[in-house]
Amino acid sequence: AMSKFFAKGDSSESESEESETSSEESSSEEEKPVKKQAARTEQPVRRGPRKVVSQKDKRFDEMRQTVKQLKNAIKINDWNAISNDFQKINQQIAKAGQLIQQDGIPRFYIKICVQLADVIENTSKDKEKVKKMSKTNAKSLNAMKQNIKKNNSQYEEEIKKYNEAPDEDSGSDKEEESESGSDESADSESSESDSDESEKEDKKPAKKPVKPAKADDESDDDDDEDWPSDSSSSSSSEEELGNQPRGISKWLKKPGADSDDDDGFEKVKKDKKEQQQQKKNLPRKVKDEDVKVKEETKQLVLTEENVRKQMNEIQGMRGKKGTSKRDQIAQLEVLATAKISPSMTAQVLVHLISAQFDSSMQRGVPYMPVSFDVEGTPSRDNCLWTRCMVNIRRLLHVLKENPELTEEATGQQAAGSGAGPDAADFEEEEGIQVTSNLVSFVERLDDELYLSLRLLDNHSPDFIKRLLDIAPFLELAELVQDYYAGSGQAGVAARLAMRRLEHVYYKHNALVAKAAGVAAQRGDRATNRDAFVAELATWVYRHGDDGLRTRAMLCHMYHHALHDRFLAARDMLLMSHLQDSIHQSHSIQAQVLFNRTMAQLGLSAFRNGLVAEAHACLDELCANNKLKELLAQGLVVQRYGAEKTPEQERAERRRQTPYHMHLNLDLVECVHLVSAVLLEVPRMVAVSFDGAARRGRTANKALKRVMDMYDRNPLAGPPEGNRDVIIAGARALERGDWRQCEAYILGLPVWQHLWSEDGATRTRKMLEAKIREEALRTFLFAYGACYDALSLAQLAHMFELEAPVVASLVSRMMMQDEVAASWDQPTGCVVMQRKERSKLHHLAHQLSDLVGKLVEANDKAWEGRFGE
């Protein structure tokens, strides 16, 4: 049967008719092989000249096909499909922007928009029909109400013209349908003519040929018609026909021939070198695309009407899938250069700044990159953050030059509606939501700067580049604050004053003055800087809310403590009572700032020689070995208890302080331990020689823990770390060897991290005097009972102290009942008084020892249970 079918000879129309009648009279047994063979026969390859379609026709055909799908979805009341198809045709309209600008909006698009609006209105009125819908279908219907209303508002003029003459559209639709039908019929005729050629090549009598599969839109009446033949193909020469394959070989795929059907073949992957070369050329392609978009936008006549229309189109496509944010930024940058009214210029700048902030989230990091991709040579001027700051400056300039412009007229939202977002509360997975106004733009710019400083590697060049961005930001924040203060919005100006204060409070005046000799300090003051910080803080005190005032006060106290004004900072802390409410009614960021302020207060007290005050400030921070976590300068590995959840770890990472704001943790720990040694070692010695001295005494937990670890080590070698050196000095002081203790503690390299050499020298002199004084107290506690009298001159010589200092120290110990002694003024001696203990005293001493051991055992059990 297969050979008979493909062995047909040439025949005329009469022969084809005879073959058709003979095939109809043939038996069913002969028809089955033919049908099977026809099913196995591939679709004939189309020959002849290919049809060239213009770009316009191609785009419009795609739109018509989408409109057809949209109409089908409307018939079956599938609002999910309607929503998707409506979004699809809007994307196609956006892609064909140049064609639409030349020829206008297609009429069939306006027609489907009007029909959709009518269908949505009618469907919404039918409450019973809406109730029967599924949840997703009803949700899509509600979304379409808003989308069609917003979409049709852009084409009000076109819809109005269509409603005036809707009949004109029917004729055009019929012409389009007729054109599409003629194209399909032409395709079918060409395919049928090719089949006739194949039949004429064989000279055997032919049966009814098997027709190829018809298109969906062909009518069933064509089944009885004859196949048309192509005159051009029949007039071809026999030489050309002789070179072509005949029979079944004509329809088989030739080896090595190109074909559109690649089924059954594997695609060869590109070489790695080619892929690397494409990646290298990618920035150049991106740059060319940006230039192309800008050139296309410049071709428009940048009138106010065109700018508004183009801006509305960009705003409508913003956030949709498949939209290039880079192209939107490039188009808005061109629109911002148009010579239009100040109000429209401000609106374009607002949309441009918002688009630049949105584009920062698509690069895999939650902050604006230091360089805007890499286009040629990396430059800070080409940084996306810098370009955004320049646009904010332009917006500020427009608002200053035109004071009659309001926030509503320029597309902004109310600036006084609430405080801006905090960079520390930022989620890596979610974007920061900000309102579109000038102050929120400045706050978001600061948040981007803060986040990049927090997440960048502090040893990388990008971190140094980011530090250079602080100065221009401070200058911009000052200008915006002056603008809002001049317009009578003091509360908004207080928010900006707080942002400026957070960038200047942690810098030492000497450091800023030294940097001013190299470069101008933009947004800061090199001279009279204390008054500048006080001015910013005072503005926040007067016009800010409670949260801003608390943070401003903590920054002000930190600045006082940084410059060794401990008494002023302490008075501010005591008057504010923040230590009582900071951990209950304030945010975590305020608590971190409070911890930083307390650490700086402790360092300030230590530099001023106030050892007891320094120990009181630092004891709570360093007691549980969580100093790094409390200051938000790193994460602590949990050794005991339950591990932290991933959410808790992410929250801690978001609260980290940038590296350039860090406090020296080694310096803080050493100050705390040295202060504890100077205070606790004399008490420990007094307790060991007199149990009654235990009353009212609380040992330092951190020092006690470190000393216990030092004593439990059976192979203790020479001290290496800072802790080991301090503990070795404490043991030497306990033995009375103050010179060895002084060598250990003063030899620590950590004292070099003080602000200046003069400060380090003063601190060393202070430590020398304190160590000698505490050594004298330790000597009196340990060996005072062994003497009847001690000469004042001898004590001053032993500890290399002046006589008035020794007299003052011994008198204070007498007044506090630490030593049972009296002065003999004529001889200048300290007369020691011995008291014999009664039996009751001995029993009380034993009881106190037992209670002390019980307390220590309880503390150890608590630490083993809860890890604290």
Side-chain angles (χ1 to χ4, degrees):
M2 185 186 300
S3 61
K4 290 181 181 180
F5 178 77
F6 289 102
K8 305 289 192 301
D10 296 337
S11 61
S12 61
E13 295 180 358
S14 60
E15 292 175 348
S16 62
E17 293 177 356
E18 293 176 0
S19 63
E20 289 176 359
T21 56
S22 61
S23 61
E24 292 174 355
E25 294 174 356
S26 59
S27 62
S28 59
E29 295 179 358
E30 295 178 356
E31 288 179 356
K32 289 181 180 179
V34 176
K35 292 182 180 179
K36 291 181 181 179
Q37 181 61 29
R40 289 194 297 266
T41 306
E42 296 181 359
Q43 190 74 13
V45 180
R46 178 177 177 177
R47 297 190 180 184
R50 298 182 63 183
K51 183 178 180 180
V52 179
V53 181
S54 64
Q55 184 72 11
K56 175 183 175 181
D57 296 341
K58 183 178 179 182
R59 294 291 186 188
F60 280 26
D61 289 343
E62 292 176 355
M63 295 179 196
R64 292 190 184 95
Q65 186 64 24
T66 307
V67 169
K68 183 178 178 181
Q69 296 175 1
L70 194 57
K71 290 180 179 179
N72 294 334
I74 292 174
K75 293 178 181 178
I76 62 176
N77 198 30
D78 187 358
W79 289 101
N80 293 326
I82 292 172
S83 179
N84 296 332
D85 293 337
F86 186 68
Q87 183 179 0
K88 181 178 178 181
I89 193 170
N90 284 335
Q91 292 177 355
Q92 293 171 349
I93 289 290
K95 289 181 180 180
Q98 293 183 353
L99 298 175
I100 291 174
Q101 290 174 5
Q102 297 174 2
D103 302 334
I105 299 293
R107 191 172 177 83
F108 60 85
Y109 174 75
I110 301 298
K111 178 182 178 182
I112 194 62
C113 290
V114 174
Q115 292 178 355
L116 265 176
D118 296 339
V119 172
I120 291 173
E121 183 179 0
N122 296 332
T123 305
S124 301
K125 292 179 180 179
D126 192 354
K127 300 298 181 181
E128 296 182 358
K129 186 176 182 180
V130 174
K131 290 181 180 179
K132 294 180 180 180
M133 291 183 182
S134 62
K135 186 176 180 181
T136 56
N137 209 19
K139 187 177 180 180
S140 300
L141 174 61
N142 294 330
M144 280 298 301
K145 289 182 186 178
Q146 305 297 330
N147 294 338
I148 196 66
K149 183 178 180 180
K150 182 178 179 181
N151 184 76
N152 289 359
S153 62
Q154 303 176 9
Y155 309 106
E156 293 180 354
E157 296 181 1
E158 289 82 355
I159 293 174
K160 184 177 180 181
K161 293 179 181 178
Y162 172 81
N163 291 331
E164 292 176 355
D167 297 336
E168 296 180 1
D169 189 66
S170 59
S172 60
D173 291 344
K174 291 180 180 180
E175 291 178 0
E176 292 171 2
E177 292 175 0
S178 62
E179 289 178 0
S180 60
S182 61
D183 293 339
E184 293 173 355
S185 62
D187 295 340
S188 61
E189 288 177 1
S190 60
S191 60
E192 290 169 358
S193 61
D194 292 338
S195 62
D196 287 340
E197 290 179 3
S198 62
E199 292 173 1
K200 292 178 182 179
E201 290 176 358
D202 293 332
K203 297 182 179 180
K204 292 183 179 181
K207 293 184 179 181
K208 179 180 178 180
V210 179
K211 295 184 180 181
K214 295 186 179 182
D216 294 339
D217 55 349
E218 290 183 3
S219 60
D220 297 335
D221 298 337
D222 296 338
D223 294 340
D224 298 334
E225 295 179 359
D226 297 334
W227 287 13
S229 60
D230 192 356
S231 59
S232 59
S233 60
S234 60
S235 60
S236 58
S237 60
E238 295 180 357
E239 296 178 358
E240 294 177 347
L241 293 174
N243 296 329
Q244 296 179 357
R246 299 182 179 180
I248 193 173
S249 60
K250 178 180 179 180
W251 305 102
L252 297 177
K253 183 179 293 186
K254 298 179 182 179
D258 295 336
S259 176
D260 295 333
D261 189 7
D262 294 336
D263 295 339
F265 293 89
E266 295 182 358
K267 295 183 179 180
V268 181
K269 296 183 178 179
K270 294 184 179 180
D271 192 6
K272 292 184 178 180
K273 294 183 178 180
E274 296 180 2
Q275 295 179 356
Q276 294 176 357
Q277 189 66 24
Q278 290 180 358
K279 291 182 179 179
K280 292 180 179 179
N281 298 333
L282 181 60
R284 180 67 181 176
K285 293 180 180 179
V286 170
K287 184 177 180 181
D288 294 341
E289 290 178 359
D290 291 345
V291 174
K292 183 178 179 182
V293 171
K294 290 183 178 180
E295 290 179 354
E296 292 175 355
T297 309
K298 286 182 179 179
Q299 292 178 359
L300 295 174
V301 180
L302 296 179
T303 61
E304 187 166 352
E305 182 179 357
N306 291 339
V307 170
R308 181 183 290 104
K309 184 177 180 181
Q310 188 74 11
M311 186 177 62
N312 292 335
E313 291 180 359
I314 295 173
Q315 189 68 12
M317 296 300 297
R318 182 178 170 187
K320 293 185 178 180
K321 186 177 180 181
T323 304
S324 175
K325 295 182 179 179
R326 184 191 300 274
D327 294 345
Q328 289 185 347
I329 293 175
Q331 293 174 9
L332 289 171
E333 286 177 346
V334 176
L335 295 179
T337 60
K339 296 181 179 180
I340 51 181
S341 64
S343 175
M344 182 56 64
T345 302
Q347 292 182 32
V348 174
L349 289 174
V350 168
H351 290 301
L352 174 58
I353 295 168
S354 301
Q356 287 175 333
F357 282 133
D358 290 345
S359 64
S360 65
M361 295 301 299
Q362 66 178 2
R363 291 171 172 80
V365 291
Y367 60 88
M368 289 185 175
V370 175
S371 58
F372 188 68
D373 295 330
V374 179
E375 302 176 358
T377 304
S379 173
R380 290 184 63 251
D381 295 335
N382 200 29
C383 170
L384 178 60
W385 187 90
T386 306
R387 292 163 60 182
C388 185
M389 183 178 62
V390 171
N391 293 327
I392 295 176
R393 284 179 177 273
R394 292 175 60 188
L395 178 60
L396 176 62
H397 178 72
V398 171
L399 296 177
K400 280 186 175 181
E401 293 294 329
N402 303 273
E404 71 279 359
L405 294 179
T406 61
E407 293 177 340
E408 296 179 358
T410 55
Q412 303 182 69
Q413 298 180 8
S417 58
D422 193 354
D425 298 332
F426 174 73
E427 297 280 352
E428 272 94 353
E429 298 84 0
E430 299 178 1
I432 299 179
Q433 302 295 331
V434 297
T435 53
S436 299
N437 53 53
L438 186 59
V439 63
S440 296
F441 288 152
V442 176
E443 289 175 338
R444 174 66 186 275
L445 200 67
D446 185 27
D447 294 340
E448 294 286 348
L449 179 61
Y450 182 90
L451 290 171
S452 60
L453 289 172
R454 179 172 64 83
L455 297 177
L456 285 173
D457 183 12
N458 56 290
H459 300 292
S460 64
D462 291 344
F463 185 81
I464 305 300
K465 292 179 182 179
R466 269 305 193 201
L467 289 179
L468 297 176
D469 290 331
I470 295 178
F473 170 77
L474 289 175
E475 187 178 15
L476 174 62
E478 183 178 4
L479 295 175
V480 178
Q481 180 184 348
D482 294 341
Y483 167 74
Y484 278 107
S487 61
Q489 303 185 45
V492 179
R495 290 161 56 183
L496 295 168
M498 188 65 233
R499 295 281 178 165
R500 295 172 61 195
L501 183 60
E502 289 178 340
H503 281 287
V504 298
Y505 79 95
Y506 59 87
K507 299 178 183 177
H508 199 278
N509 292 344
L511 182 63
V512 176
K514 187 176 181 179
V518 180
Q521 298 299 301
R522 301 162 58 187
D524 205 340
R525 304 291 185 273
T527 58
N528 199 14
R529 196 164 180 272
D530 294 334
F532 170 64
V533 174
E535 179 185 355
L536 292 176
T538 304
W539 186 276
V540 180
Y541 296 156
R542 292 177 179 175
H543 307 289
D545 55 12
D546 293 339
L548 292 180
R549 283 195 292 268
T550 300
R551 291 165 60 187
M553 187 173 294
L554 290 173
C555 293
H556 202 183
M557 286 188 291
Y558 187 101
H559 188 75
H560 281 308
L562 184 62
H563 295 85
D564 294 339
R565 296 189 290 271
F566 171 75
L567 297 179
R570 183 197 62 182
D571 293 343
M572 291 183 63
L573 178 63
L574 295 178
M575 287 187 296
S576 64
H577 298 283
L578 285 176
Q579 67 275 14
D580 300 330
S581 61
I582 189 66
H583 298 293
Q584 287 80 22
S585 59
H586 291 82
S587 64
I588 297 179
Q589 285 305 307
Q591 296 177 26
V592 171
L593 183 57
F594 176 80
N595 294 336
R596 286 170 49 83
T597 303
M598 292 301 298
Q600 194 60 248
L601 274 172
L603 296 178
S604 177
F606 188 79
R607 289 192 293 265
N608 285 279
L610 305 174
V611 178
E613 288 78 358
H615 180 266
C617 293
L618 300 176
D619 188 31
E620 189 175 357
L621 293 174
C622 302
N624 296 322
N625 199 20
K626 293 183 179 180
L627 180 62
K628 184 185 296 184
E629 184 178 5
L630 293 174
L631 297 180
Q633 296 183 189
L635 302 179
V636 178
V637 179
Q638 296 291 333
R639 296 183 179 180
Y640 306 100
E643 296 183 356
K644 295 181 180 179
T645 61
E647 292 76 10
Q648 293 176 343
E649 292 183 357
R650 284 197 295 269
E652 288 188 7
R653 289 193 182 96
R654 290 195 298 271
R655 291 193 294 266
Q656 297 303 301
T657 306
Y659 178 76
H660 68 290
M661 299 172 63
H662 281 191
L663 293 172
N664 194 316
L665 298 179
D666 292 337
L667 180 61
V668 175
E669 289 180 354
C670 288
V671 168
H672 174 253
L673 288 177
V674 170
S675 301
V677 166
L678 295 177
L679 294 176
E680 296 296 334
V681 168
R683 294 177 183 176
M684 293 167 61
V685 173
V687 168
S688 63
F689 284 91
D690 186 6
R694 182 183 293 274
R695 284 182 298 171
R697 308 297 185 186
T698 56
N700 183 278
K701 292 183 179 180
L703 179 64
K704 187 175 183 301
R705 181 176 62 250
V706 174
M707 294 185 72
D708 291 342
M709 292 174 59
Y710 185 82
D711 294 337
R712 285 198 298 266
N713 188 4
L715 302 175
E720 296 179 356
N722 293 333
R723 288 185 179 183
D724 296 340
V725 172
I726 293 173
I727 297 304
R731 292 304 185 192
L733 182 61
E734 190 177 6
R735 295 191 305 267
D737 189 359
W738 62 269
R739 289 185 176 86
Q740 186 66 29
C741 175
E742 188 176 286
Y744 276 131
I745 293 178
L746 296 182
L748 289 172
V750 74
W751 308 123
Q752 300 176 359
H753 296 289
L754 296 174
W755 284 114
S756 61
E757 295 181 1
D758 296 339
T761 303
R762 291 197 307 270
T763 303
R764 287 192 174 93
K765 290 182 179 180
M766 181 271 298
L767 284 175
E768 289 178 0
K770 291 294 181 181
I771 289 173
R772 293 172 185 179
E773 291 176 4
E774 298 302 326
L776 175 58
R777 295 180 71 242
T778 305
F779 174 78
L780 293 177
F781 283 135
Y783 306 108
C786 300
Y787 293 89
D788 292 331
L790 292 171
S791 172
L792 180 62
Q794 182 66 22
L795 291 176
H797 176 72
M798 286 176 59
F799 296 98
E800 298 182 1
L801 292 171
E802 297 179 358
V805 175
V806 175
S808 174
L809 181 61
V810 174
S811 299
R812 187 167 60 249
M813 293 178 67
M814 292 177 184
M815 294 174 63
Q816 295 175 357
D817 294 332
E818 292 178 346
V819 174
S822 61
W823 279 108
D824 187 6
Q825 295 293 339
T827 60
C829 294
V830 181
V831 179
M832 307 301 296
Q833 299 177 2
R834 297 182 180 180
K835 292 182 179 180
E836 295 294 336
R837 296 177 181 175
S838 63
K839 186 176 182 180
L840 181 61
H841 288 168
H842 286 287
L843 292 176
H845 180 56
Q846 293 177 4
L847 178 62
S848 63
D849 290 340
L850 293 175
V851 171
K853 292 179 181 179
L854 179 62
V855 171
E856 290 180 0
N858 189 24
D859 292 341
K860 290 182 180 180
W862 180 273
E863 292 177 0
R865 175 69 175 176
F866 299 101
E868 295 182 358

